[in-house]
Amino acid sequence: MRESESVEAEVMMSFLVSEELSFRIPVELRYETCDPYAVRLTFHLPGDAPVTWAFGRELMIDGVGRPSGDGDVRVSPVDPDSLGEVLIRLQVGRDQALFRSSTAPLIAFLDRTDKLVPLGQEGAFGDFDAHLDEALDRILAEEQSAG
């Protein structure tokens, strides 16, 4: 078993509370070879403990260029013509949080993850749990696209 390697970055994002209110927060991006299909975003909201969300690296890659995701996590370009900014929508039940980020630092981070583990080569990394997660994600994605 090889030692896990990781890629980390910090990005400033706008937390969109409402149409009138938003504020900038630091968001840590993390990718680890021990879980090669996922990226983790840790949001540092003022006055709250940091909150970490993990979701598919491929969802983030796809979301930079076109609306992606139809569950708890959705990523889409703000303007499909310019691709300058991305919206990340996180939902738990009826509660949702919306974040806006410049696309460039996300692409730089994703490019570094691709150098560590090329897209499509994830199976050579990780462990049984990662393979199980991948299989479950694939099954869920097939169910969602079928329904």
Side-chain angles (χ1 to χ4, degrees):
M1 189 81 184
R2 79 183 75 160
E3 191 174 319
S4 181
E5 296 178 69
S6 65
V7 172
E8 296 177 37
E10 185 173 288
V11 176
M12 292 302 290
M13 293 188 187
S14 293
F15 175 38
L16 307 175
V17 180
S18 67
E19 285 188 29
E20 303 83 31
L21 178 63
S22 70
F23 48 90
R24 312 260 306 149
I25 62 163
V27 178
E28 290 172 37
L29 309 178
R30 185 169 178 86
Y31 176 81
E32 298 176 323
T33 56
C34 65
D35 190 3
Y37 295 94
V39 291
R40 285 176 171 67
L41 278 66
T42 301
F43 299 89
H44 294 272
L45 300 168
D48 277 331
V51 176
T52 300
W53 279 68
F55 54 90
R57 173 171 68 155
E58 210 166 329
L59 169 62
M60 182 167 262
I61 292 169
D62 292 347
V64 166
R66 61 182 170 79
S68 299
D70 57 3
D72 295 342
V73 178
R74 298 173 192 219
V75 182
S76 61
V78 171
D79 176 2
D81 294 330
S82 78
L83 303 183
E85 290 185 309
V86 170
L87 286 176
I88 300 172
R89 182 184 314 273
L90 307 175
Q91 187 153 350
V92 179
R94 293 183 171 205
D95 295 330
Q96 68 176 10
L98 189 59
F99 301 89
R100 182 192 294 245
S101 173
S102 174
T103 305
L106 298 181
I107 290 174
F109 169 76
L110 292 166
D111 186 54
R112 288 172 52 214
T113 73
D114 191 61
K115 285 181 172 57
L116 192 59
V117 178
L119 200 59
Q121 302 295 310
E122 295 92 347
F125 294 81
D127 52 23
F128 174 77
D129 289 337
H131 293 291
L132 180 62
D133 288 344
E134 176 206 11
L136 290 171
D137 288 346
R138 212 175 33 246
I139 291 165
L140 289 170
E142 288 168 7
E143 283 180 1
Q144 288 174 349
S145 64

